[in-house]
Amino acid sequence: MNNMKSMSDDTPSSPERRRFISVATVTAAGVTLAPGVMLIDVAHGRPEEQAASNAVRWGMLVDATKCASGCDECVSACSTENGWTPVAESAHPKQAPQWIRKLELQDPLTQAETNLPMMCQHCEEPPCVDVCPTGASFKRADGIVLVNRHTCIGCRYCMMACPYKARSLVHEPLNDTQKPDVPRGIGCVEACTFCVQKVDRGDGTTACVEACTASGHNALVFGDMNDPESEISKRLRELPTKQVRADLNLNLGVRYHGI
Amino acid sequence: MAGKIKRLLALGAVVLTTAALAWAGSDDQPKASGAPKPVITKAVKGEQCVEPNDFMRRNHMKVLLHHRDETVLEGVRTKKYSLKECINCHASEKTGSVAASKDDFCVSCHSYAAVKIDCFDCHSTKPQGSMAMHPLNAETAHYAHKLAAQANSKVSAEEMAGIAQ
Ligand code: SF4
Ligand code: SF4
């Protein structure tokens, strides 16, 4: 975003540049490169050979005042997108992986109810990364915290370290039920990936956000928190939000309004 | 005593030479009964692999290893050397997978070479969507009959020996 700003502020607009801009405006939806080939400008779509960059920080806003009681659209969308078995269908519900959970909380004193989804908060200072003995638990340049299953030894230190109970271990062989885009398997720890496969594809959103929006609740917003023009940045400027266990100073990628 | 040793050495040399000759000519000779040769099915999609076959037979694991780290750690998802693309091309027409039955592409060689891989503990062995429906396969779906005819070529002994080295 800094680049964008400096471009518009400092660069004198040359004729070529003006021509480029006018072309860009005419073909707002996409640029035709060749017959049948379109270059579509999606939110933060980056060329596939380009590594994730720290100019972006992906984040999510959860508006708990809009999150509906009894709704778990985000949870089932995540399970469908990422191929994990819903807890209710699992043979061993107590140890079934959960990438996102729906919480319905009630204040014992006031009886006030709060609804919210809880998942990996994509901490800027992730305890799960600090404790990992193999370096399998890592934070990508764009702020997404992931497990490298190639080096994870299943020790579960990270599960202990995570303040949000965000991680699960896969206890049983998955027998080729995985999604081609989402490898996951026995003996490895896993958690919400902010739908990294979708982010890398340039979708600029996650399965849970799409489902929440489709259900009409609009409680979730996903986007680049580093870009002041993104929807999430605008909403974060307007709404008072909280980080869960802000006292831990982890600078979370998921912010809650109305808790 | 010394004479006896000399005679033994000479005999040894003859035996070794004969054995070497037999080895060199072994292609024409009936194979010793051993493990059945791997079945290498031609890829359903595409004409040529991203590298020559010889290179891939010896080095696919190295390029896959390098690519997987770039993908997982940096989010680089180029198609070349991506396991997903291997699967897209090489999934068998019968099982739709590279590792579901013993003749499927990955399993066939690995079981012959006694190399246990755990790629498919985590990775799906099937392309995205069904073979015919997959957009990457749609354009080659009409090749199916052609490919079925030339499929299931047996690998020659030299090729296998090359891989083993
Ligand atoms: S919420 Fe837990 S799993 Fe996610 S980054 Fe923070 S410590 Fe790690
Ligand atoms: S379970 Fe895996 S990711 Fe977690 S701390 Fe152990 S090795 Fe690291």
Side-chain angles (χ1 to χ4, degrees):
Chain A
M1 36 94 199
N2 291 328
N3 298 351
M4 267 168 60
K5 225 186 201 152
S6 66
M7 260 175 73
S8 50
D9 291 351
D10 319 333
T11 323
S13 25
S14 62
E16 296 93 286
R17 188 172 144 71
R18 231 179 266 130
R19 199 163 55 238
F20 173 77
I21 291 171
S22 64
V23 169
T25 331
V26 171
T27 57
V31 183
T32 310
L33 296 176
V37 183
M38 290 278 283
L39 182 68
I40 297 166
D41 183 25
V42 274
H44 292 285
R46 53 172 215 278
E48 57 180 11
E49 71 279 0
Q50 191 178 308
S53 128
N54 62 5
V56 173
R57 184 177 181 204
W58 295 111
M60 190 179 290
L61 167 65
V62 180
D63 186 343
T65 60
K66 292 186 181 165
C67 180
S69 165
C71 171
D72 66 350
E73 291 290 322
C74 52
V75 180
S76 37
C78 177
S79 133
T80 309
E81 168 69 26
N82 294 301
W84 51 276
T85 313
V87 179
E89 291 165 30
S90 167
H92 303 281
K94 280 193 179 154
Q95 51 177 229
Q98 296 187 63
W99 290 26
I100 178 171
R101 287 169 286 147
K102 174 66 191 295
L103 303 185
E104 306 209 7
L105 312 164
Q106 189 172 42
D107 186 320
L109 202 63
T110 63
Q111 311 291 307
E113 278 190 22
T114 312
N115 279 271
L116 55 88
M118 177 52 70
M119 65 302 224
C120 172
Q121 307 284 300
H122 298 274
C123 315
E124 190 177 26
E125 309 280 352
C128 59
V129 174
D130 291 344
V131 299
C132 179
T134 66
S137 184
F138 72 103
K139 188 178 67 162
R140 223 168 73 148
D142 54 5
I144 302 181
V145 178
L146 298 170
V147 177
N148 181 352
R149 292 173 176 82
H150 300 115
T151 41
C152 173
I153 54 172
C155 70
R156 289 165 269 177
Y157 279 18
C158 55
M159 287 174 64
M160 293 290 126
C162 173
Y164 307 95
K165 278 197 179 178
R167 289 195 166 181
S168 320
L169 178 84
V170 180
H171 288 261
E172 285 155 55
L174 299 179
N175 303 323
D176 210 8
T177 55
Q178 295 92 331
K179 304 271 161 177
D181 268 337
V182 190
R184 50 188 293 269
I186 184 167
C188 292
V189 159
E190 58 184 18
C192 158
T193 64
F194 266 171
C195 284
V196 70
Q197 70 279 7
K198 284 169 71 65
V199 168
D200 285 347
R201 215 187 284 148
D203 289 3
T205 184
T206 66
C208 53
V209 172
E210 285 176 333
C212 186
T213 308
S215 74
H217 293 122
N218 296 309
L220 306 177
V221 183
F222 180 80
D224 177 7
M225 301 204 296
N226 276 352
D227 175 0
E229 297 311 312
S230 66
E231 195 199 341
I232 187 168
S233 295
K234 288 180 190 158
R235 297 277 296 276
L236 285 172
R237 266 200 300 277
E238 291 159 10
L239 284 179
T241 54
K242 280 189 191 154
Q243 306 181 44
V244 177
R245 289 298 308 272
D247 55 318
L248 295 172
N249 260 339
L250 302 175
N251 188 359
L252 306 185
V254 181
R255 306 295 170 102
Y256 289 85
H257 168 70
I259 57 167
Chain B
M1 187 64 191
K4 210 174 183 184
I5 289 173
K6 245 187 213 158
R7 240 180 301 142
L8 268 175
L9 280 176
L11 185 65
V14 170
V15 170
L16 281 177
T17 323
T18 326
L21 284 173
W23 173 251
S26 65
D27 271 352
D28 324 321
Q29 315 230 328
K31 301 264 171 350
S33 63
K37 291 277 173 289
V39 182
I40 299 189
T41 315
K42 195 174 180 320
V44 172
K45 191 191 124 208
E47 288 297 311
Q48 174 58 50
C49 191
V50 292
E51 298 288 351
N53 293 357
D54 281 354
F55 177 89
M56 283 312 261
R57 282 185 185 147
R58 289 173 184 79
N59 299 305
H60 61 280
M61 63 300 266
K62 295 179 198 156
V63 293
L64 282 170
L65 188 72
H66 182 74
H67 191 273
R68 82 165 203 204
D69 285 343
E70 282 188 346
T71 305
V72 175
L73 303 177
E74 298 180 352
V76 172
R77 293 182 190 251
T78 44
K79 293 211 164 68
K80 195 175 184 187
Y81 305 144
S82 146
L83 179 64
K84 221 175 102 181
E85 293 303 313
C86 301
I87 295 166
N88 276 344
C89 277
H90 286 286
S92 120
E93 281 208 280
K94 238 181 285 164
T95 62
S97 152
V98 291
S101 85
K102 69 177 183 17
D103 285 348
D104 285 352
F105 192 76
C106 297
V107 172
S108 186
C109 271
H110 282 130
S111 57
Y112 178 81
V115 176
K116 184 172 178 285
I117 49 168
D118 57 6
C119 307
F120 302 112
D121 282 2
C122 285
H123 286 273
S124 168
T125 70
K126 302 183 185 96
Q128 209 138 35
S130 84
M131 290 285 282
M133 294 311 289
H134 190 262
L136 290 170
N137 293 325
E139 68 212 25
T140 47
H142 59 279
Y143 279 125
H145 63 282
K146 238 172 134 187
L147 293 166
Q150 52 180 254
N152 294 354
S153 68
K154 295 261 188 230
V155 226
S156 73
E158 305 98 277
E159 279 178 314
M160 257 352 269
I163 298 167
Q165 272 158 17

